[in-house]
């Protein structure tokens, strides 16, 4: 079986490639960093299965799938995405996707879904379409917590404990999360130490290197992109109460710089302040703020 992994995040492509090593029957894995690049690969290479992200610049995963079906490409197509909820799963199935797995996922989950597709490829298997938005794919039916989401993504132990808010005197990463109307409804504010640690851990870069970036207060472009993927996956826990939201953007704040939403934080609907430690890496404070639209 030849598999094409389509994701604009290099770190996620590496992670998925690593998980595919344990999937029986996978003989070759190719990569594409965009929908257009995927089409170029499929024009010249025989591919049995495409595993695609949903949200990508220029051409989304669902646009890629509909383009391939209109083209008449006969292979199997599935989504590996931070998007969740009944509407997403239904849209994927109606477009012809074999399944949708919500990030983070285990190698066992991926292997099981691929096996089901190729055992009976006449029946799509979208993941848990009956579950409530924000709770898709969780074995207990409850929304996952920060530790569970990060451990699933980074593949190493993560601990989180209550702490004060991120300190103004250090550089911070700011993730804005939006609802389906494009309104910013939640913020994720992370000290640069956590952003560096999580971004480095995603690519299995050494902790000492992450500590140097944290000390400098600046991330490399590759690690900043990695943290963007971390923030994207954290959309599952960003909004208090489990309301569905998606990542809008990630920006970086200099020491003492305040985000434009700063006045709204004092009147926030909910705020959770944590110190998060990725095993082996430097800890950092993170705040999740639910805003009134």
């Amino acid at each position: 079986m030849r598999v094409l992994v389509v994701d604009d995040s290099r770190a996620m492509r590496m992670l998925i490639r690593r998980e595919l090593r344990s999937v029986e029957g996978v003989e070759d894995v190719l990569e594409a960093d965009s929908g257009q690049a995927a089409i170029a690969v499929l024009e010249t290479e025989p591919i049995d299965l495409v595993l695609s992200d949903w949200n990508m610049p220029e051409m989304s995963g669902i646009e890629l799938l509909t383009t391939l079906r209109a083209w008449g490409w006969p292979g199997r197509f599935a989504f590996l995405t931070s998007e969740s909820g009944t509407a997403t799963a239904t849209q994927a199935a109606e477009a012809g996707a074999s399944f949708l797995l919500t990030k983070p996922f285990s190698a066992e989950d991926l292997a099981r879904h691929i096996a089901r597709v190729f055992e009976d490829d006449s029946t799509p298997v979208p993941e848990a379409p009956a579950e409530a938005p924000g709770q898709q794919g969780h074995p207990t039916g409850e929304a996952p917590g920060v530790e569970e989401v990060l451990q699933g993504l980074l593949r190493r132990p993560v601990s989180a404990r209550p702490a004060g808010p991120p300190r103004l005197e250090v550089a911070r990463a700011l993730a804005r999360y939006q609802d389906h109307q494009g309104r910013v409804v939640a913020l994720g504010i992370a000290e640069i130490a956590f952003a560096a640690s999580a971004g480095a851990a995603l690519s299995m870069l050494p902790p000492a290197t992450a500590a140097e970036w944290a000390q400098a207060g600046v991330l490399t472009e590759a690690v900043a992109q990695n943290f963007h993927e971390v923030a994207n996956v954290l959309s599952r826990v960003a909004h208090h109460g489990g309301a569905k939201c998606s990542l809008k953007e990630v920006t970086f704040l200099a020491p003492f710089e305040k985000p434009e939403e700063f006045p709204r934080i004092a009147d926030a609907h909910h705020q959770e302040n944590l110190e998060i430690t990725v095993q082996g890496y430097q800890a950092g404070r993170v705040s999740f703020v639910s805003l009134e639209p």
Side-chain angles (χ1 to χ4, degrees):
M1 181 195 315
R2 304 188 82 211
V3 179
L4 174 63
V5 177
V6 187
D7 199 303
D8 57 310
S9 166
R10 180 175 179 272
M12 283 307 303
R13 296 197 305 272
M14 290 173 57
L15 187 149
I16 295 166
R17 176 186 283 272
R18 189 165 68 240
E19 303 292 24
L20 286 169
R21 292 175 186 167
S22 61
V23 177
E24 184 177 358
V26 174
E27 299 173 349
D28 193 15
V29 179
L30 287 74
E31 298 181 16
D33 61 5
S34 68
Q36 293 90 336
I39 291 172
V41 172
L42 292 166
E43 287 176 337
T44 59
E45 297 284 348
I47 298 294
D48 302 295
L49 172 66
V50 172
L51 298 175
S52 177
D53 192 12
W54 187 284
N55 291 314
M56 296 183 291
E58 299 181 16
M59 177 182 283
S60 68
I62 195 69
E63 289 171 338
L64 172 60
L65 173 56
T66 54
T67 297
L68 294 179
R69 293 302 183 227
W71 173 27
W73 183 72
R76 287 75 165 179
F77 192 106
F79 288 104
L80 306 178
T81 176
S82 58
E83 290 292 316
S84 63
T86 303
T88 302
T90 300
Q91 185 181 6
E94 289 178 346
S98 295
F99 63 84
L100 181 150
L101 265 180
T102 303
K103 301 174 185 174
F105 51 84
S106 68
E108 292 76 15
D109 284 338
L110 182 57
R112 176 171 56 85
H113 278 72
I114 291 176
R116 287 175 61 188
V117 169
F118 285 93
E119 285 171 2
D120 180 11
D121 55 36
S122 65
T123 305
V125 285
E127 182 185 343
E131 294 179 357
Q135 299 178 353
Q136 180 180 353
H138 194 268
T140 66
E142 300 176 355
V146 173
E147 292 179 346
E148 180 181 349
V149 169
L150 289 174
Q151 285 174 172
L153 177 65
L154 303 177
R155 299 295 191 264
R156 61 176 59 232
V158 174
S159 63
R161 65 178 185 85
R167 290 160 285 204
L168 281 175
E169 63 267 25
V170 301
R172 285 143 293 138
L174 171 66
R176 291 184 172 93
Y177 297 95
Q178 62 187 359
D179 64 10
H180 68 283
Q181 295 180 327
R183 301 174 300 181
V184 174
V185 295
L187 303 175
I189 308 170
E191 292 182 344
I192 199 70
F194 172 74
S197 294
L202 187 59
S203 288
M204 297 185 294
L205 297 172
T209 303
E212 291 176 3
W213 294 325
Q215 180 67 28
V218 179
L219 304 184
T220 66
E221 181 179 354
V223 174
Q225 290 175 349
N226 285 1
F227 181 73
H228 187 282
E229 186 61 39
V230 173
N232 187 33
V233 171
L234 285 173
S235 65
R236 298 183 67 190
V237 299
H239 194 280
H240 179 64
K244 178 175 167 54
C245 60
S246 61
L247 180 66
K248 179 178 182 179
E249 62 181 354
V250 174
T251 59
F252 291 88
L253 305 173
F256 298 104
E257 182 182 357
K258 297 177 181 179
E260 62 184 60
E261 296 89 355
F262 189 80
R264 298 172 62 193
I265 293 177
D267 300 321
H269 173 63
H270 178 81
Q271 182 169 353
E272 183 178 21
N273 299 316
L274 302 168
E275 182 179 78
I276 302 179
T277 305
V278 180
Q279 185 183 59
Y281 290 83
Q282 184 177 347
R285 294 182 184 180
V286 179
S287 180
F288 295 101
V289 184
S290 298
L291 303 171
E292 294 294 342

